[in-house]
Amino acid sequence: MPTRILLEGRPGAGKTTVVRRLAALLRTRRVVGFTTEEIRQGSTRTAFALEVLEGGPRDVLAHVDFPGPPRVGRYGVDLGVMERLALPPLRSAAAHPVPGELVLIDELGRMELACTEFQDTVRHLFESDVDIVATVHAKSDPFTDALKRRADIELVQVTRANRDTLPADLAARMERP
C-alpha cells in the first residue's frame, strides 16, 4: 500500500522547510514534485515562486502586481505556471508510477488549488500506486478536508517544535525496504 502523508501546519510552521530537507536527505528514492516559497521586498511579502524539485525550473506563481483572475487574497495567480511547471511531472508520476519514486507537493494551498487541472491531477495521484508527501494548510478547505478524511492518509502536524527533526524521521521511514 502506498505511503500517503499530509504535513499540516499553520503559516510559518516550517512545512516547506520539512519538504526541502526531506528531499535533500533521501538517498535511495527519486523525488518528483515542487516546492513554493515567499518572495520578499524588504520585510514585505510580494510574491510566491514555484520551483520544480531536482533542480528544475522556477517561476513566479503569484504576485501582488499580477491582475488575476484568479486572485487569492492580494495576489494574482498565474495558472500557466502550474500548467507548465507543476503538472507535467505530477501527471507522469500518476500515469506511470516508478517503484521507489516519491511525489513531494508543497503545497495543496489556495493558490495551487485555483488550478482545476491541478486538483484533478492530485486526485489521480491519490488513486495511483505512488508514495506521496504533501503539505496542507491547517484551515478548512473542501478539497484538502476530503483528502484528510481518507482512510489511507497519515496526517502529521508540523510545528516549530518538530520541524527540525521531522525531515530525518520521514527520510528514515521513506528509505526503509
Side-chain angles (χ1 to χ4, degrees):
M1 182 164 175
T3 300
R4 310 234 187 273
I5 298 173
L6 293 179
L7 302 172
E8 181 184 61
R10 299 185 52 77
K15 299 181 300 291
T16 299
T17 299
V18 169
V19 168
R20 285 192 174 144
R21 288 183 183 162
L22 172 60
L25 289 169
L26 293 172
R27 299 289 176 245
T28 63
R29 310 270 319 244
R30 178 175 179 262
V31 296
V32 298
F34 66 90
T35 60
T36 57
E37 77 174 321
E38 296 179 350
I39 298 172
R40 293 184 170 270
Q41 289 184 334
S43 62
T44 304
R45 183 175 61 201
T46 58
F48 289 88
L50 183 143
E51 183 172 5
V52 176
L53 290 168
E54 299 286 302
R58 171 187 168 104
D59 205 348
V60 177
L61 172 63
H63 196 286
V64 293
D65 293 336
F66 288 178
R71 291 197 68 79
V72 174
R74 59 191 197 106
Y75 303 95
V77 180
D78 182 352
L79 296 180
V81 170
M82 292 299 295
E83 293 163 4
R84 285 189 319 276
L85 301 185
L87 290 178
L90 298 180
R91 284 180 176 146
S92 178
H96 310 288
V98 175
E101 191 170 71
L102 174 64
V103 174
L104 295 176
I105 301 173
D106 174 47
E107 81 181 280
L108 299 173
R110 288 178 49 213
M111 290 177 189
E112 297 82 4
L113 293 172
C115 179
T116 306
E117 291 177 23
F118 177 65
Q119 290 183 37
D120 294 342
T121 300
V122 169
R123 280 188 199 95
H124 191 82
L125 274 168
F126 276 86
E127 297 303 323
S128 68
D129 192 27
V130 65
D131 294 334
I132 303 168
V133 175
T135 66
V136 295
H137 44 77
K139 288 185 177 180
S140 182
D141 173 88
F143 185 87
T144 57
D145 289 350
L147 288 177
K148 292 174 190 179
R149 287 190 299 269
R150 288 176 56 120
D152 62 345
I153 292 293
E154 179 183 351
L155 191 61
V156 176
Q157 298 299 316
V158 177
T159 66
R160 289 177 186 244
N162 72 359
R163 70 180 174 196
D164 292 329
T165 58
L166 198 52
D169 295 344
L170 291 170
R173 284 180 56 192
M174 295 291 129
E175 295 199 311
R176 265 190 227 130

XYZ file of all heavy atoms in Angstrom, residues 3-87:
652
model
N 2.453 4.937 0.561
C 2.511 5.884 1.672
C 1.827 7.169 1.256
O 2.067 7.679 0.160
C 3.981 6.181 2.047
O 4.606 4.962 2.428
C 4.073 7.192 3.168
N 0.970 7.699 2.135
C 0.255 8.949 1.875
C 0.324 9.791 3.138
O -0.389 9.522 4.098
C -1.198 8.675 1.547
C -1.390 7.615 0.484
C -2.244 8.164 -0.613
N -2.610 7.182 -1.599
C -1.870 6.875 -2.648
N -0.716 7.441 -2.806
N -2.285 6.002 -3.537
N 1.194 10.784 3.131
C 1.382 11.632 4.302
C 1.033 13.071 3.938
O 1.525 13.607 2.939
C 2.834 11.568 4.817
C 3.179 10.140 5.247
C 3.043 12.547 5.972
C 4.632 9.933 5.625
N 0.177 13.677 4.747
C -0.122 15.099 4.624
C 0.525 15.796 5.815
O 0.260 15.451 6.964
C -1.627 15.358 4.612
C -2.396 14.835 3.403
C -3.886 15.151 3.543
C -1.849 15.407 2.114
N 1.378 16.760 5.522
C 2.026 17.570 6.548
C 1.189 18.824 6.731
O 1.120 19.663 5.832
C 3.451 17.942 6.127
C 4.397 16.775 5.837
C 5.700 17.275 5.246
C 4.634 15.970 7.096
N 0.543 18.935 7.879
C -0.372 20.042 8.135
C 0.255 21.015 9.121
O 0.857 20.603 10.116
C -1.680 19.506 8.716
C -2.703 20.602 8.999
C -3.947 20.041 9.657
O -3.834 19.473 10.759
O -5.028 20.187 9.070
N 0.106 22.297 8.832
C 0.620 23.297 9.757
C 0.153 24.688 9.393
O -0.302 24.944 8.278
N 0.285 25.558 10.354
C -0.068 26.952 10.153
C 1.023 27.632 9.328
O 2.143 27.124 9.250
C -0.226 27.626 11.510
C -1.338 26.980 12.352
C -1.596 27.703 13.648
N -1.824 29.132 13.508
C -2.959 29.695 13.086
N -3.972 28.946 12.743
N -3.072 31.004 13.013
N 0.736 28.781 8.725
C 1.772 29.510 8.001
C 2.959 29.799 8.930
O 2.781 30.173 10.082
C 1.072 30.807 7.587
C -0.383 30.454 7.544
C -0.582 29.433 8.640
N 4.152 29.553 8.411
C 5.353 29.811 9.191
C 5.775 28.670 10.089
O 6.811 28.751 10.762
N 5.010 27.575 10.097
C 5.358 26.434 10.956
C 6.590 25.697 10.447
O 7.294 25.067 11.228
C 4.183 25.472 11.067
N 6.838 25.756 9.137
C 8.009 25.087 8.577
C 7.699 23.956 7.618
O 8.540 23.100 7.372
N 6.511 23.957 7.027
C 6.127 22.885 6.109
C 7.075 22.805 4.903
O 7.544 21.729 4.554
C 4.681 23.076 5.631
C 3.646 23.057 6.743
C 2.228 23.212 6.234
C 1.941 24.490 5.485
N 1.940 25.712 6.299
N 7.353 23.938 4.294
C 8.249 23.959 3.136
C 9.647 23.522 3.538
O 10.304 22.769 2.809
C 8.273 25.367 2.504
O 6.957 25.693 2.055
C 9.242 25.441 1.333
N 10.105 23.967 4.684
C 11.420 23.567 5.182
C 11.490 22.059 5.337
O 12.484 21.424 4.951
C 11.710 24.264 6.526
O 11.696 25.672 6.319
C 13.040 23.837 7.106
N 10.455 21.452 5.888
C 10.429 19.998 6.071
C 10.527 19.299 4.718
O 11.324 18.366 4.552
C 9.163 19.558 6.845
C 9.002 18.037 6.805
C 9.214 20.051 8.281
N 9.744 19.744 3.729
C 9.755 19.099 2.412
C 11.119 19.252 1.747
O 11.661 18.282 1.194
C 8.625 19.660 1.521
C 8.794 19.234 0.072
C 7.275 19.210 2.042
N 11.700 20.421 1.790
C 13.008 20.627 1.154
C 14.090 19.781 1.821
O 14.929 19.186 1.143
C 13.389 22.103 1.203
C 12.616 22.909 0.208
C 13.199 24.291 0.073
N 12.490 24.971 -1.003
C 12.208 26.237 -1.001
N 12.583 27.005 -0.006
N 11.558 26.775 -2.012
N 14.084 19.750 3.133
C 15.092 18.940 3.837
C 14.873 17.454 3.596
O 15.834 16.702 3.445
C 15.081 19.264 5.331
C 15.668 20.631 5.617
C 15.727 20.918 7.096
N 16.230 22.268 7.333
C 16.079 22.912 8.469
N 15.452 22.350 9.494
N 16.561 24.135 8.606
N 13.619 17.033 3.562
C 13.325 15.634 3.257
C 13.884 15.270 1.887
O 14.568 14.248 1.736
C 11.814 15.382 3.310
C 11.336 14.009 2.816
C 11.950 12.884 3.630
C 9.812 13.956 2.839
N 13.626 16.077 0.876
C 14.124 15.811 -0.476
C 15.647 15.717 -0.486
O 16.222 14.849 -1.152
C 13.645 16.895 -1.438
N 16.310 16.580 0.270
C 17.776 16.589 0.309
C 18.339 15.366 1.033
O 19.441 14.906 0.713
C 18.270 17.867 0.979
N 17.603 14.826 1.994
C 18.087 13.693 2.784
C 17.912 12.346 2.098
O 18.614 11.387 2.416
C 17.364 13.653 4.138
C 17.729 14.739 5.134
C 16.760 14.729 6.309
C 19.167 14.559 5.610
N 16.977 12.256 1.179
C 16.696 10.969 0.549
C 17.841 10.557 -0.373
O 18.273 11.326 -1.226
C 15.382 11.041 -0.236
C 14.140 11.211 0.623
C 12.923 11.480 -0.247
C 13.912 9.998 1.509
N 18.316 9.334 -0.178
C 19.437 8.830 -0.976
C 19.012 7.724 -1.940
O 19.638 7.543 -2.974
C 20.549 8.291 -0.057
C 21.130 9.343 0.864
C 21.965 10.333 0.060
N 22.457 11.402 0.919
C 22.105 12.671 0.792
N 21.283 13.044 -0.157
N 22.595 13.595 1.590
N 17.971 6.975 -1.573
C 17.578 5.822 -2.387
C 16.270 6.036 -3.136
O 15.807 5.135 -3.817
C 17.436 4.555 -1.504
O 16.390 4.769 -0.555
C 18.736 4.231 -0.793
N 15.701 7.212 -3.011
C 14.419 7.496 -3.653
C 14.569 8.653 -4.635
O 15.202 9.649 -4.334
C 13.359 7.903 -2.619
C 13.198 7.012 -1.417
C 12.226 5.894 -1.520
N 10.975 6.046 -2.148
C 9.803 5.943 -1.530
N 9.724 5.801 -0.233
N 8.698 5.988 -2.217
N 13.928 8.509 -5.774
C 13.828 9.630 -6.711
C 12.617 10.448 -6.302
O 11.555 9.895 -6.014
C 13.650 9.114 -8.134
C 13.499 10.237 -9.147
C 13.455 9.686 -10.571
N 13.282 10.786 -11.490
C 12.109 11.146 -12.013
N 11.009 10.484 -11.713
N 12.037 12.161 -12.849
N 12.768 11.769 -6.253
C 11.646 12.624 -5.884
C 11.196 13.434 -7.089
O 12.006 13.867 -7.906
C 11.976 13.561 -4.699
C 12.243 12.768 -3.443
C 13.147 14.471 -5.004
N 9.880 13.621 -7.189
C 9.291 14.486 -8.206
C 8.278 15.374 -7.498
O 7.716 14.998 -6.476
C 8.616 13.705 -9.357
C 9.616 12.861 -10.110
C 7.477 12.860 -8.848
N 8.080 16.544 -8.032
C 7.115 17.454 -7.440
C 7.648 18.867 -7.439
O 8.485 19.230 -8.268
N 7.184 19.652 -6.462
C 7.576 21.048 -6.432
C 7.493 21.598 -5.015
O 6.837 21.032 -4.148
C 6.713 21.906 -7.368
C 5.266 21.989 -6.957
C 4.830 22.997 -6.105
C 4.337 21.078 -7.425
C 3.494 23.080 -5.720
C 3.000 21.153 -7.049
C 2.577 22.159 -6.201
N 8.168 22.722 -4.830
C 8.052 23.497 -3.593
C 7.679 24.921 -3.964
O 7.829 25.348 -5.116
C 9.375 23.529 -2.784
O 10.402 24.125 -3.563
C 9.789 22.126 -2.352
N 7.182 25.637 -2.981
C 6.867 27.048 -3.164
C 7.603 27.840 -2.091
O 7.969 27.291 -1.050
C 5.355 27.315 -3.045
O 4.895 26.843 -1.779
C 4.582 26.638 -4.158
N 7.827 29.104 -2.361
C 8.445 29.945 -1.342
C 8.039 31.396 -1.533
O 7.705 31.824 -2.640
C 9.962 29.806 -1.337
C 10.671 30.548 -2.434
C 12.189 30.482 -2.294
O 12.703 30.559 -1.171
O 12.840 30.359 -3.331
N 8.077 32.110 -0.443
C 7.761 33.537 -0.463
C 8.871 34.305 -1.157
O 10.036 33.933 -1.072
C 7.664 34.082 0.964
C 6.567 33.511 1.791
C 6.573 34.087 3.207
O 7.544 34.782 3.603
O 5.593 33.839 3.925
N 8.474 35.385 -1.804
C 9.434 36.360 -2.331
C 9.143 37.656 -1.594
O 7.995 38.097 -1.521
C 9.265 36.563 -3.853
C 9.526 35.247 -4.601
C 10.185 37.674 -4.349
C 9.205 35.315 -6.087
N 10.181 38.249 -1.046
C 10.007 39.469 -0.249
C 10.800 40.621 -0.850
O 11.859 40.421 -1.421
C 10.465 39.235 1.193
C 9.580 38.258 1.934
C 9.989 38.123 3.400
N 8.997 37.381 4.139
C 7.956 37.933 4.755
N 7.791 39.225 4.746
N 7.082 37.183 5.392
N 10.247 41.806 -0.685
C 10.973 43.044 -0.949
C 11.091 43.719 0.400
O 10.093 44.214 0.938
C 10.234 43.920 -1.950
C 10.262 43.366 -3.358
C 9.606 44.302 -4.357
O 8.756 45.095 -4.024
N 10.022 44.184 -5.594
N 12.303 43.661 0.951
C 12.485 44.125 2.313
C 11.742 43.194 3.244
O 11.891 41.975 3.182
N 10.898 43.746 4.088
C 10.140 42.910 5.029
C 8.730 42.597 4.527
O 7.954 41.966 5.237
C 10.061 43.613 6.391
O 9.363 44.836 6.246
N 8.412 43.003 3.308
C 7.067 42.816 2.766
C 7.033 41.655 1.785
O 7.809 41.615 0.823
C 6.601 44.095 2.042
O 6.681 45.185 2.943
C 5.186 43.956 1.528
N 6.118 40.713 2.015
C 5.928 39.611 1.078
C 5.164 40.143 -0.127
O 4.086 40.713 0.012
C 5.157 38.475 1.748
C 4.998 37.269 0.844
C 4.355 36.106 1.535
N 3.021 36.485 1.977
C 2.352 35.867 2.937
N 2.880 34.875 3.587
N 1.136 36.257 3.250
N 5.739 39.937 -1.321
C 5.116 40.455 -2.540
C 4.714 39.365 -3.527
O 3.952 39.632 -4.459
C 6.064 41.429 -3.268
O 7.280 40.735 -3.573
C 6.356 42.656 -2.421
N 5.247 38.156 -3.335
C 5.000 37.119 -4.333
C 5.321 35.744 -3.760
O 5.871 35.623 -2.664
C 5.853 37.376 -5.568
N 4.968 34.735 -4.566
C 5.321 33.347 -4.271
C 5.898 32.732 -5.535
O 5.366 32.927 -6.623
C 4.089 32.539 -3.855
C 3.560 32.912 -2.510
C 2.630 33.936 -2.382
C 3.982 32.254 -1.369
C 2.129 34.292 -1.147
C 3.491 32.605 -0.123
C 2.564 33.632 -0.011
N 6.983 32.000 -5.386
C 7.601 31.291 -6.504
C 7.330 29.805 -6.373
O 7.182 29.283 -5.263
C 9.101 31.539 -6.528
N 7.266 29.125 -7.502
C 7.135 27.684 -7.559
C 8.401 27.146 -8.203
O 8.854 27.668 -9.224
C 5.907 27.295 -8.380
C 5.596 25.808 -8.484
C 4.088 25.582 -8.462
C 6.211 25.175 -9.707
N 8.975 26.099 -7.595
C 10.207 25.511 -8.124
C 10.047 24.000 -8.207
O 9.673 23.346 -7.231
C 11.389 25.853 -7.228
C 12.708 25.336 -7.750
C 13.899 25.843 -6.953
O 13.712 26.519 -5.928
O 15.028 25.558 -7.376
N 10.350 23.458 -9.386
C 10.298 22.016 -9.594
C 11.495 21.393 -8.882
O 12.610 21.924 -8.931
C 10.312 21.685 -11.104
C 10.357 20.189 -11.341
C 9.103 22.302 -11.788
N 11.258 20.257 -8.201
C 12.331 19.573 -7.475
C 13.385 19.027 -8.422
O 13.172 18.936 -9.634
C 11.742 18.432 -6.641
C 10.907 18.882 -5.450
C 10.134 17.714 -4.866
C 11.790 19.510 -4.387
N 14.502 18.627 -7.826
C 15.617 18.061 -8.569
C 16.226 19.085 -9.529
O 16.569 18.765 -10.662
C 15.197 16.796 -9.336
C 14.695 15.684 -8.436
C 15.804 14.987 -7.669
O 16.719 14.462 -8.310
O 15.741 14.986 -6.423
N 16.307 20.336 -9.075
C 16.957 21.370 -9.876
C 16.172 21.820 -11.082
O 16.749 22.334 -12.043
N 14.868 21.644 -11.026
C 14.028 22.023 -12.153
C 13.814 23.518 -12.242
O 14.354 24.295 -11.449
N 13.012 23.936 -13.205
C 12.769 25.368 -13.395
C 11.994 25.987 -12.234
O 11.378 25.293 -11.430
C 11.960 25.430 -14.694
C 11.403 24.075 -14.886
C 12.305 23.114 -14.167
N 12.040 27.311 -12.205
C 11.384 28.097 -11.160
C 10.728 29.296 -11.840
O 11.280 29.855 -12.784
C 12.446 28.554 -10.162
C 11.987 29.547 -9.141
C 13.217 30.020 -8.338
N 12.920 31.163 -7.544
C 12.740 31.138 -6.233
N 12.863 30.023 -5.563
N 12.460 32.227 -5.583
N 9.542 29.680 -11.336
C 8.872 30.849 -11.880
C 7.952 31.427 -10.803
O 7.635 30.760 -9.819
C 8.060 30.485 -13.126
C 7.834 31.659 -14.064
O 8.097 32.825 -13.659
O 7.384 31.434 -15.198
N 7.514 32.665 -11.025
C 6.626 33.329 -10.070
C 5.209 32.816 -10.294
O 4.643 32.955 -11.377
C 6.698 34.862 -10.216
C 5.710 35.533 -9.270
C 8.118 35.345 -9.947
N 4.641 32.233 -9.242
C 3.284 31.685 -9.285
C 2.238 32.757 -9.000
O 1.185 32.802 -9.637
C 3.158 30.555 -8.262
C 1.762 29.982 -8.026
C 1.218 29.339 -9.297
C 1.778 28.986 -6.874
N 2.530 33.603 -8.030
C 1.559 34.626 -7.621
C 2.314 35.885 -7.216
O 3.397 35.805 -6.637
C 0.720 34.115 -6.454
N 1.705 37.027 -7.511
C 2.364 38.307 -7.225
C 1.299 39.365 -6.968
O 0.217 39.311 -7.551
C 3.231 38.718 -8.421
C 4.231 39.777 -8.110
N 3.890 41.097 -7.923
C 5.575 39.697 -7.947
C 4.985 41.801 -7.666
N 6.014 40.987 -7.667
N 1.636 40.326 -6.124
C 0.685 41.400 -5.834
C 0.378 42.217 -7.086
O -0.700 42.808 -7.184
C 1.183 42.325 -4.689
C 1.218 41.577 -3.369
C 2.526 42.948 -5.015
N 1.283 42.246 -8.060
C 1.073 43.014 -9.286
C 0.396 42.227 -10.406
O 0.078 42.799 -11.440
C 2.411 43.566 -9.801
C 2.999 44.615 -8.878
O 2.234 45.244 -8.112
O 4.240 44.798 -8.903
N 0.203 40.921 -10.228
C -0.483 40.139 -11.251
C -1.974 40.465 -11.176
O -2.545 40.528 -10.087
C -0.293 38.641 -11.043
C 1.079 38.110 -11.354
C 1.362 36.770 -11.160
C 2.098 38.919 -11.832
C 2.617 36.253 -11.433
C 3.356 38.420 -12.110
C 3.615 37.073 -11.907
N -2.609 40.646 -12.331
C -4.010 41.054 -12.304
C -4.996 39.950 -11.927
O -6.073 40.242 -11.404
C -4.266 41.511 -13.745
C -3.288 40.746 -14.569
C -2.073 40.568 -13.695
N -4.615 38.664 -12.154
C -5.627 37.628 -11.987
C -6.627 37.748 -13.120
O -6.404 38.517 -14.051
N -7.756 37.092 -13.110
C -8.092 36.075 -12.130
C -7.267 34.825 -12.353
O -6.751 34.661 -13.446
C -9.571 35.841 -12.357
C -9.837 36.216 -13.781
C -8.807 37.245 -14.119
N -7.201 33.985 -11.373
C -7.810 34.146 -10.055
C -6.958 35.032 -9.146
O -5.789 35.289 -9.421
C -7.863 32.716 -9.512
C -6.701 32.054 -10.163
C -6.556 32.667 -11.521
N -7.592 35.465 -8.092
C -6.895 36.201 -7.041
C -7.077 35.426 -5.741
O -8.155 34.909 -5.459
C -7.440 37.614 -6.888
C -7.094 38.498 -8.102
C -7.243 39.964 -7.833
N -6.276 40.504 -6.891
C -5.003 40.823 -7.174
N -4.542 40.612 -8.376
N -4.227 41.344 -6.264
N -6.011 35.352 -4.982
C -6.041 34.750 -3.651
C -5.508 35.814 -2.711
O -4.329 36.156 -2.763
C -5.198 33.457 -3.584
C -5.134 32.930 -2.158
C -5.758 32.396 -4.532
N -6.417 36.360 -1.927
C -6.030 37.500 -1.098
C -5.605 38.642 -1.993
O -6.294 38.995 -2.958
N -4.443 39.187 -1.744
C -3.967 40.313 -2.549
C -3.104 39.892 -3.732
O -2.533 40.712 -4.435
C -3.215 41.311 -1.658
C -2.023 40.768 -0.943
C -1.512 41.750 0.128
N -0.164 41.402 0.526
C 0.926 42.070 0.180
N 0.829 43.148 -0.563
N 2.115 41.671 0.574
N -3.032 38.576 -3.977
C -2.156 38.047 -5.024
C -2.944 37.579 -6.240
O -3.915 36.836 -6.115
C -1.345 36.853 -4.494
C -0.529 37.205 -3.282
C -1.027 36.974 -2.009
C 0.720 37.796 -3.407
C -0.301 37.315 -0.889
C 1.457 38.144 -2.293
C 0.945 37.901 -1.031
O 1.664 38.254 0.074
N -2.482 38.005 -7.420
C -2.966 37.415 -8.655
C -2.160 36.150 -8.901
O -0.947 36.130 -8.662
N -2.815 35.086 -9.362
C -2.160 33.799 -9.563
C -2.007 33.537 -11.058
O -2.961 33.688 -11.822
C -2.965 32.659 -8.906
C -2.280 31.318 -9.110
C -3.173 32.941 -7.421
N -0.804 33.145 -11.472
C -0.525 32.785 -12.859
C -0.711 31.278 -13.004
O 0.198 30.499 -12.701
C 0.905 33.193 -13.229
C 1.259 32.884 -14.674
O 0.471 32.220 -15.378
O 2.360 33.309 -15.105
N -1.890 30.849 -13.427
C -2.185 29.425 -13.556
C -1.299 28.745 -14.593
O -1.074 27.536 -14.526
C -3.658 29.212 -13.900
C -4.655 29.672 -12.834
C -6.082 29.399 -13.297
C -4.390 29.013 -11.500
N -0.764 29.536 -15.528
C 0.159 28.979 -16.525
C 1.397 28.373 -15.890
O 1.954 27.397 -16.399
N 1.838 28.924 -14.760
C 2.998 28.370 -14.054
C 2.667 26.970 -13.544
O 3.481 26.045 -13.641
C 3.459 29.308 -12.909
C 4.499 28.639 -12.031
C 3.992 30.606 -13.491
N 1.466 26.798 -13.012
C 1.048 25.467 -12.560
C 1.031 24.500 -13.742
O 1.530 23.378 -13.643
C -0.338 25.518 -11.915
C -0.412 26.247 -10.605
S 0.624 25.527 -9.311
C -0.141 23.930 -9.078
N 0.453 24.948 -14.847
C 0.311 24.080 -16.010
C 1.653 23.730 -16.642
O 1.870 22.589 -17.056
C -0.624 24.729 -17.025
C -2.055 24.819 -16.503
C -2.930 25.804 -17.257
O -2.468 26.398 -18.255
O -4.079 25.995 -16.827
N 2.584 24.690 -16.695
C 3.887 24.460 -17.332
C 4.871 23.722 -16.433
O 5.629 22.874 -16.914
C 4.527 25.786 -17.735
C 3.947 26.441 -18.948
C 4.778 27.636 -19.420
N 5.280 28.497 -18.367
C 4.590 29.494 -17.789
N 3.354 29.741 -18.172
N 5.126 30.243 -16.855
N 4.890 24.057 -15.147
C 5.933 23.527 -14.274
C 5.465 22.405 -13.358
O 6.125 21.373 -13.245
C 6.532 24.651 -13.420
C 7.166 25.822 -14.156
C 7.817 26.785 -13.178
C 8.161 25.358 -15.191
N 4.362 22.609 -12.659
C 3.945 21.647 -11.642
C 3.278 20.404 -12.229
O 3.527 19.289 -11.775
C 2.999 22.319 -10.643
N 2.422 20.582 -13.220
C 1.608 19.466 -13.692
C 2.360 18.371 -14.450
O 2.093 17.190 -14.218
C 0.438 19.983 -14.524
C -0.641 20.716 -13.722
C -1.736 21.223 -14.639
C -1.216 19.836 -12.631
